[in-house]
Amino acid sequence: MSLQRYRILQKVVHTGSLAIAASELQLTPSAVSHALTSLEQEMGFRLLLRKRDQVQLTAEGELAWQHIRTILHEQQLLMQKVDSLHKLETGVLRLGTFSSVSMRWLPHLLDEYHRLYPQVTIQLRDGAYNEITDWIAAGEIELGFISETHTAGLPFQLLHEDELFCLLPDGHPLAKESELHPEQLRQERWILPVSGCDTGVRSFIAECDWKPYIAYELEDDHSMMAMVRQGHGITILPELIMKESDRQGMQLVRLSGRPCRRIGLTALNLHDLSPAARRFAQCVTEILGHHAPSMNEKLTDYTRFDEGADDDETDVYF
């Protein structure tokens, strides 16, 4: 049984289609089909149910795929560890992220990482929390930024507590309050994120003893802010999302109890990362220092970790 056949199966499982898998692997559909048939013959049972427009794993295939996925992950770790012997002169970092981290942190983090390891290839995937955990579970990415409430059972390393604020349109009766209690928001019209895009507002409301009147549900944070700005309702968003320029026409009011979104890193195993991912985690931890920058501050004032230190002696969290 060859790793190449395992990789072909991996691509078919992820895409759900022989044709799409063949296209992404730059193989012919017949070559993909032949490789899978050979793999099934070697195992002695069917791995896939092949339908007209899609394929899916059989019950036996599900069990086999769990072990094959582990083999592929271990093979990737082996190659990365070999790269580490060359001081990461080459390597691949497959990283998942979500919008506010992509906009506010990632450009500066990648600048520093590329400065230290210019030959490492970084593959980014931007999505919702549930997509990030799905990508990790499927082996499509190795490391991801995540909110602690959406880890889906994966391990979590805290980086920053991102305070939640209530967003009100200018002129709203509560806009001049210094702090808002949940009871004051009972009668408001709410603009909420759709499932999978929640940045904290649904968790906040779930702890209240009242059900909100939901005026709109949207995917994009900036669309939610635009609706608030026009007076269509109120919402709650983390501080990291909102730049100074985004606040025009709105007031941000602190919430009692200072609720926050806890942002961190997640992976299948945070203690067994590939060298490229581990060095990125070190870099992030050192730069943020467990205190994310203010909304207008650039990531320029930090202490870099010692590039020449022995890996076993470097004081890091990963």
Side-chain angles (χ1 to χ4, degrees):
M1 298 182 188
S2 70
L3 287 173
Q4 180 62 21
R5 289 174 183 169
Y6 290 166
R7 294 191 187 99
I8 290 173
L9 177 63
Q10 180 184 47
K11 183 63 69 173
V12 171
V13 170
H14 291 169
T15 62
S17 166
L18 293 179
I20 295 175
S23 176
E24 293 187 5
L25 291 169
Q26 297 183 331
L27 298 172
T28 64
S30 61
V32 169
S33 180
H34 177 74
L36 294 174
T37 298
S38 297
L39 187 57
E40 289 175 328
Q41 289 173 349
E42 290 179 12
M43 290 193 172
F45 51 78
R46 294 181 65 185
L47 295 169
L48 298 165
L49 293 175
R50 308 186 190 193
K51 300 179 181 180
R52 180 178 179 183
D53 297 321
Q54 63 178 1
V55 296
Q56 65 183 60
L57 288 167
T58 63
E60 297 82 4
E62 287 278 4
L63 294 173
W65 169 237
Q66 293 177 19
H67 295 285
I68 290 172
R69 185 173 62 191
T70 300
I71 291 170
L72 291 173
H73 177 67
E74 291 297 327
Q75 191 269 343
Q76 178 69 19
L77 285 178
L78 172 61
M79 297 309 298
Q80 291 278 9
K81 288 185 183 298
V82 170
D83 288 335
S84 72
L85 298 177
H86 300 283
K87 298 183 179 179
L88 285 184
E89 292 179 357
T90 61
V92 177
L93 170 62
R94 295 169 295 130
L95 181 67
T97 180
F98 54 90
S99 59
S100 53
V101 166
S102 298
M103 290 187 296
R104 303 303 305 284
W105 290 355
L106 211 52
H108 309 293
L109 294 174
L110 294 183
D111 279 349
E112 177 63 7
Y113 189 76
H114 280 308
R115 186 191 70 79
L116 296 172
Y117 310 110
Q119 300 305 314
V120 174
T121 300
I122 299 178
Q123 299 174 353
L124 290 177
R125 297 192 69 172
D126 190 292
Y129 299 138
N130 58 340
E131 291 179 306
I132 291 170
T133 54
D134 286 347
W135 293 336
I136 288 175
E140 297 180 36
I141 62 174
E142 183 180 4
L143 188 67
F145 290 95
I146 199 73
S147 169
E148 188 177 23
T149 56
H150 293 76
T151 58
L154 293 172
F156 176 79
Q157 172 65 48
L158 177 66
L159 293 173
H160 172 60
E161 293 187 340
D162 191 14
E163 186 173 354
L164 303 179
F165 286 82
C166 185
L167 274 67
L168 304 160
D170 283 346
H172 190 283
L174 298 175
K176 299 301 182 182
E177 296 285 333
S178 60
E179 184 176 272
L180 291 172
H181 297 269
E183 186 62 28
Q184 294 175 275
L185 305 174
R186 178 189 290 269
Q187 303 301 325
E188 297 296 328
R189 289 163 52 91
W190 286 88
I191 299 168
L192 299 184
V194 298
S195 178
C197 299
D198 182 24
T199 51
V201 58
R202 289 185 181 272
S203 298
F204 173 84
I205 289 175
E207 296 179 3
C208 299
D209 61 357
W210 42 262
K211 292 186 178 180
Y213 171 67
I214 303 174
Y216 301 100
E217 293 181 283
L218 300 168
E219 289 189 9
D220 181 68
D221 300 323
H222 288 85
S223 297
M224 293 170 61
M225 285 188 272
M227 296 291 279
V228 171
R229 192 177 292 112
Q230 292 300 316
H232 293 291
I234 71 169
T235 193
I236 290 172
L237 286 175
E239 184 179 17
L240 189 62
I241 289 174
M242 299 170 287
K243 297 184 293 186
E244 186 70 33
S245 59
D246 294 330
R247 306 186 201 181
Q248 296 180 359
M250 295 184 297
Q251 296 296 320
L252 275 64
V253 183
R254 187 162 260 136
L255 295 163
S256 64
R258 305 285 181 88
C260 63
R261 172 181 64 163
R262 289 164 59 89
I263 300 173
L265 290 170
T266 189
L268 284 176
N269 186 343
L270 286 169
H271 299 290
D272 190 25
L273 296 172
S274 67
R278 180 164 52 84
R279 292 295 179 88
F280 181 81
Q282 292 173 351
C283 192
V284 171
T285 302
E286 289 291 332
I287 291 175
L288 295 181
H290 292 283
H291 297 285
S294 66
M295 288 189 286
N296 297 313
E297 181 185 359
K298 290 187 177 181
L299 295 175
T300 55
D301 183 18
Y302 51 80
T303 302
R304 298 185 176 95
F305 63 90
D306 183 2
E307 299 173 53
D310 183 271
D311 289 342
D312 294 332
E313 297 177 355
T314 305
D315 184 17
V316 297
Y317 293 88
F318 299 87

